[in-house]
Amino acid sequence: FYKPTKSRFKIIIEANAFPSDEYVVQSVATRHNFDPNETIVRISANTNQEMATAIRQIGEKNQVALILIAPLQYLTGIFYDIQSIVYAGHHIGAIVGLDLAHAVGNVELSLHDHQVDFACWCSYKYLNAGPGAIAGAFVHQKHQEALATNTSALRGWWGNKRDSRFLMQQHFDPQPGIAGLQLSNPPTLPVIQLAQATALINRASMPKLRAKSKRLTAYLEFLLRRHLKSDFNMLTPSDPERRGAQLSLYFPHRDVDTIFAALRKRSVFVDVRRPDVIRVAPAPLYNSFTDVHRFVTVLVLALHEVAVQEV
């Protein structure tokens, strides 16, 4: 999807993107003989309007070839409006791709209807398929013909149409869409894990999971503000519509590794993003309001323990 020209070669990503996204765009730029420092433009935005405005302003010089954004930002937990990102990106003539690692299984998505060009994600986070789970990818239907005739794509046995695969032909007969980019058969156990995980989510339904998620994070925020007061700042928006199942807690005057150790000692596991952020993510599929209450109770005890140690 990155088809740069001498005049249109820039790539937009969000500031503080997940490192692997940085690795990808930096290596893609280098592969096409462009300097990553001149190619990559990083957007820092706290609202949907700021994101869309920044995309439009950067695109005024008609230099942007590709946009790669995580609509649910891993560090802050901000959930950006996908439709407005795509609209702004297409308005400046760019291809729009999404990193959905923290969005899939977390918020409701309508990739086709919102005209997303392509997207990719992992399945071990909110899809709960376990470590090493099979990743996923999406390419919009409007790109199917271009994918089928793409001469630079690496082709493999599993990307050939099923009905012609065992005719043992010497020419490649691609499956339509993203399926034509498959190389070989996936390992059995991860397929079973993913199938069972998605079956549970489908049974619960994303609308119901999302509704519960909003209530869980609202309850979590209420308890945190009531019991922690000034011990932390929250990077994640308070508006439930602008976040997923995650609150990012910023501890400017605390050692988050010490807090993490104190929580882990009490069998509570959160995610540390050094130097000063702890991400708390009550997953609606299996976490309860009791879990949230217990977490805050344990966090208060952990912070008290850390404070005593620091004296």
Side-chain angles (χ1 to χ4, degrees), residues 124-252:
Y124 71 87
K125 294 186 178 74
Y126 294 100
L127 288 184
N128 302 292
I134 297 172
F138 164 87
V139 173
H140 197 277
Q141 187 176 20
K142 63 187 176 185
H143 296 298
Q144 284 195 7
E145 185 176 344
L147 270 184
T149 58
N150 189 324
T151 57
S152 65
L154 184 64
R155 300 300 188 178
W157 177 255
W158 217 248
N160 199 95
K161 288 181 179 177
R162 290 187 179 185
D163 56 5
S164 63
R165 188 177 298 161
F166 282 94
L167 295 180
M168 315 308 286
Q169 301 171 128
Q170 295 301 304
H171 69 274
F172 183 71
D173 186 15
Q175 295 193 61
I178 192 69
L181 297 182
Q182 296 178 101
L183 298 180
S184 62
N185 57 302
T188 303
L189 290 180
V191 169
I192 294 173
Q193 290 173 207
L194 182 58
Q196 292 301 311
T198 52
L200 284 174
I201 289 174
N202 289 336
R203 181 178 174 184
S205 84
M206 278 306 302
K208 290 183 179 179
L209 288 173
R210 178 67 171 138
K212 181 184 175 184
S213 176
K214 291 177 182 178
R215 294 195 296 270
L216 280 173
T217 53
Y219 184 50
L220 174 59
E221 181 182 357
F222 167 77
L223 292 177
L224 288 170
R225 296 195 184 281
R226 181 175 183 179
H227 296 288
L228 267 63
K229 300 185 178 0
S230 60
D231 284 336
F232 78 103
N233 294 319
M234 197 168 76
L235 302 181
T236 312
S238 289
D239 182 356
E241 298 296 333
R242 297 194 54 235
R243 66 188 183 198
Q246 169 190 330
L247 297 186
S248 295
L249 311 182
Y250 170 53
F251 292 90

Side-chain angles (χ1 to χ4, degrees), residues 85-96 114-117 142:
I85 291 174
V86 175
Y87 183 82
H90 288 170
H91 180 77
I92 65 171
I95 291 289
V96 180
H114 290 163
Q115 299 295 310
V116 176
D117 292 300
K142 63 187 176 185

